[in-house]
Amino acid sequence: MTKTTENVLQLVGLAAAVAGLEYYFFHTPSAHATQKPAAASTSAAAPILRDGEKRLANARQLTFGGENAEAYWSFDGKQITLQSTRDGLKADQIFVMNADGSKSRMVSNGKGRTTCSYFTKEGDRVVYASTHLGGDAPPPPPDHTQGYVWAVYPTYDIFSAKLDGSDVKRLTDARGYDAEATVSPDGKRMVFTSTRDGDLDLYTMDMDGKNVRRLTRELGYDGGAFFSPDGKLICYRAHHPQTAEDQQTYKDLLAKDLVKPSKMELYVMNVDGSNKRQITTNGAANFCPFFTPDSRQLIFSSNQADPKGRDFDLYLINLDGTGQERVTFDPTFDGFPMFSPDGKKLVWASNRNAKSRGETNVFVADWLP
């Protein structure tokens, strides 16, 4: 969940690039602000795919303007949920839209910052993280004078709500950061990141917030987790500092509710937390892994090909770390990939075709295996 998927940005210079990574904000427009359907934008005529993107076809842009990211399918493939800063919003809020980009509407209440939304199995609710109980205004963005850091706001809790924004239910109430929740294929459990035990670790819990189980215990950040389609595995991103100096730096930042994301590797483990193994070893900022439909590979975003660390592209990799293949070649940002439930389409966020600096939009394309 992303992380909260915060800003895997300037680190990457993405601060304005990855638009919703964790670039949270707020305002209080009408509780159900809407966006024009994709077909209404003249940008639809602009070319989308780049040379070399042979895995993608028939691409379409679904959002136009603002910062839109972490777009995830409903289990029936008919809708998409995402976080967005648009139409005067000062922080990311949660939206849902049809799979073609039409009928976009806001689900969250417009207060605080929100991140990492995901549909329930039934498709009538979304789970997401929000700081609104900590105040109507969004908590301030992190101070980058300490380097490129993400904020892990302790006022984040996980909620669920109906698609019209009603019947909001609080699912976590532990002290500290709770966010980045995604739902298991059977719809019975969710995995999320929390600081409830003093570190950034992964946990699972029932859909009502009960039966919490801790999965990771190594010092460092573990987050952005997803279940495999067969329900047997969980993939995630992590940074585990090894030297005494790096460990102390990590602890000092975390004490200030900050984390530095410049180096993250991808991991896979069994759903009970056993058999953890590292998939990438490139020393880059690798994040937002998602399983391919057959549960045998990961698609993920990484800046490994850019010496300056600013250009993120999508890659495929086998679960044993072999067979890496580059999927996107746009010279800006591509991230947050997710396959549709039938495996025929890929949705992702990108700076491609942006009309202004920092604009990030949601795209969908046919997937060519």
Side-chain angles (χ1 to χ4, degrees), residues 136-290:
D136 289 356
D143 180 4
H144 287 153
T145 60
Q146 301 181 80
Y148 195 69
V149 293
W150 296 347
V152 285
Y153 300 111
T155 51
Y156 263 125
D157 275 303
I158 298 172
F159 301 83
S160 77
K162 291 183 177 179
L163 302 191
D164 63 1
S166 66
D167 192 30
V168 178
K169 296 180 179 180
R170 185 180 183 181
L171 303 180
T172 60
D173 60 5
R175 182 179 181 276
Y177 175 84
D178 289 296
E180 307 174 35
T182 62
V183 179
S184 61
D186 63 7
K188 295 180 179 180
R189 300 275 286 173
M190 67 179 78
V191 62
F192 65 102
T193 296
S194 177
T195 57
R196 62 186 57 207
D197 291 313
D199 195 14
L200 281 160
D201 283 299
L202 289 172
Y203 298 76
T204 56
M205 66 181 178
D206 293 343
M207 294 302 294
D208 61 1
K210 298 179 180 178
N211 298 317
V212 176
R213 180 175 183 176
R214 185 174 178 180
L215 301 183
T216 60
R217 295 179 180 275
E218 187 172 359
L219 179 69
Y221 170 55
D222 299 291
F226 291 89
F227 292 90
S228 60
D230 62 13
K232 296 179 180 180
L233 302 172
I234 290 173
C235 64
Y236 60 104
R237 62 175 180 248
H239 172 61
H240 301 143
Q242 299 300 307
T243 69
E245 181 180 2
D246 287 346
Q247 290 174 357
Q248 189 59 53
T249 297
Y250 171 80
K251 291 177 181 178
D252 291 344
L253 285 172
L254 189 58
K256 301 175 183 177
D257 301 314
L258 300 171
V259 65
K260 186 171 291 188
S262 55
K263 292 183 180 180
M264 288 193 190
E265 302 292 356
L266 303 184
Y267 290 74
V268 169
M269 63 183 169
N270 295 342
V271 291
D272 62 359
S274 64
N275 193 25
K276 296 178 179 68
R277 60 265 199 199
Q278 185 173 338
I279 307 301
T280 61
T281 55
N282 55 37
N286 306 284
F287 78 111
C288 57
F290 195 85

Side-chain angles (χ1 to χ4, degrees), residues 284-339:
N286 306 284
F287 78 111
C288 57
F290 195 85
F291 286 94
T292 54
D294 61 7
S295 300
R296 295 179 178 179
Q297 293 178 294
L298 297 179
I299 187 169
F300 66 101
S301 182
S302 176
N303 63 352
Q304 61 183 279
D306 182 5
K308 295 182 178 180
R310 298 185 178 186
D311 177 18
F312 280 75
D313 280 292
L314 302 183
Y315 295 82
L316 282 172
I317 193 169
N318 296 328
L319 296 190
D320 63 0
T322 65
Q324 180 172 280
E325 174 188 340
R326 186 170 174 176
V327 175
T328 63
F329 290 83
D330 189 84
T332 57
F333 170 79
D334 289 292
F336 306 109
M338 181 187 183
F339 290 101

Side-chain angles (χ1 to χ4, degrees), residues 19-86:
L21 262 146
E22 245 173 51
Y23 185 52
Y24 315 111
F25 347 51
F26 151 72
H27 195 127
T28 47
S30 70
H32 302 286
T34 60
Q35 184 184 31
K36 294 180 179 180
S41 173
T42 57
S43 298
I48 294 175
L49 297 180
R50 312 305 183 212
D51 290 344
E53 296 180 339
K54 60 185 180 181
R55 291 280 190 173
L56 306 173
N58 302 318
R60 183 179 182 192
Q61 186 171 337
L62 300 184
T63 64
F64 296 87
E67 298 173 344
N68 306 274
E70 296 205 56
Y72 303 131
W73 302 91
S74 59
F75 282 79
D76 62 7
K78 295 180 179 179
Q79 298 186 86
I80 291 171
T81 182
L82 69 153
Q83 62 195 50
S84 180
T85 302
R86 62 172 76 161

